[in-house]
Amino acid sequence: IVCIDDGSTDETLAKISNIPQLDQTIETYSQENQGLGCARNAGIKNANGEFICFVDSDDTVEPGFLSHAYNSIVSLNSDLIIYDLNYNENSETESSNSTIISNKSYIKEKVYCFYRSQSVCSAIIKKKIFIENNISFPSNRSFEDFFVLHKLISKSKAPLIIKKSFYNYTHNVNSVSNNMKIEDFNNIFESIEDFHK
């Protein structure tokens, strides 16, 4: 587990600084505030695992998320899995049954056309896809995911959509998506143009 403290002002660094002493599988890094894209890039850079999973600081994941992903990766030989996001705080995790979609063209269409979330959260991504294709998140941009997920899918050899919710998105009234500015809309439009390059 890699924790990136991106210039927090709420004592986050103090709260997490002792964690590595308790569990050596957890590493913490601190940097001046550079935005979510740079924080994600720092996480990728410092990750030692074969696969990357992003969890934002105000969200949670259900027990069994990573074990399900690992078993799916092994059994289905996938290098990128996109799970559903759970936007309803009161809903329960779905049953053990889940629909698996492996058609790459279908997956690209659903993501490119915004029929699915553009978030990299709830996705399990082989680190090699980032490194070998020089894919990184843009700095100082909102909606940084929009510039990246479609590239990862394009470079993936075996992407999957698994219709199962493990990732709980926390609705935050102060988030960027709930306080849109003109530059946020510009970023979204530029990311759409980026799809077709």
Side-chain angles (χ1 to χ4, degrees):
I1 299 174
V2 177
C3 299
I4 307 296
D5 173 62
D6 187 50
S8 63
T9 58
D10 60 355
E11 304 302 322
T12 291
L13 185 58
K15 293 175 183 177
I16 66 174
S17 60
N18 292 326
I19 294 177
Q21 299 175 26
L22 304 174
D23 187 339
Q24 294 184 352
T25 64
I26 300 174
E27 298 179 353
T28 61
Y29 298 88
S30 183
Q31 61 188 31
E32 292 184 8
N33 182 259
Q34 300 174 56
L36 194 47
C38 288
R40 294 201 196 284
N41 290 335
I44 295 168
K45 177 182 177 182
N46 291 289
N48 294 319
E50 186 179 0
F51 284 81
I52 301 288
C53 171
F54 298 100
V55 181
D56 288 350
S57 58
D58 51 356
D59 298 336
T60 62
V61 295
E62 294 292 330
F65 176 31
L66 296 181
S67 60
H68 187 281
Y70 175 78
N71 291 333
S72 300
I73 287 164
V74 171
S75 63
L76 301 171
N77 195 29
S78 177
D79 58 358
L80 189 156
I81 299 176
I82 302 172
Y83 286 93
D84 286 342
L85 280 169
N86 178 16
Y87 291 99
N88 185 350
E89 296 176 358
N90 298 318
S91 67
E92 297 180 357
T93 305
E94 297 174 18
S95 68
S96 57
N97 298 322
S98 57
T99 301
I100 299 173
I101 301 168
S102 60
N103 184 305
K104 186 172 182 177
S105 296
Y106 176 89
I107 294 171
K108 288 172 69 173
E109 178 185 349
K110 289 299 177 184
V111 171
Y112 283 33
C113 297
F114 285 77
Y115 291 127
R116 289 189 61 84
S117 168
Q118 297 287 327
S119 175
V120 294
C121 293
S122 84
I124 309 293
I125 307 148
K126 197 165 192 175
K127 183 178 177 180
K128 192 174 180 181
I129 302 176
F130 285 101
I131 304 304
E132 290 189 348
N133 299 287
N134 197 28
I135 297 173
S136 61
F137 292 89
S139 59
N140 299 317
R141 279 183 183 266
S142 55
F143 298 96
E144 76 294 335
D145 301 40
F146 289 22
F147 292 87
V148 172
L149 185 58
H150 69 95
K151 295 176 183 175
L152 296 169
I153 293 170
S154 291
K155 298 300 181 181
S156 167
K157 293 179 181 177
L160 297 174
I161 286 177
I162 297 184
K163 300 283 291 178
K164 189 171 178 64
S165 299
F166 282 108
Y167 190 101
N168 302 315
Y169 174 84
T170 299
H171 180 74
N172 185 344
V173 294
N174 296 316
S175 69
V176 172
S177 58
N178 286 308
N179 296 276
M180 298 279 284
K181 301 182 178 68
I182 187 65
E183 58 263 33
D184 300 319
F185 288 104
N186 288 338
N187 285 338
I188 293 173
F189 294 137
E190 285 182 34
S191 73
I192 294 172
E193 291 179 0
D194 193 52
F195 288 174
H196 304 288
K197 287 184 179 178

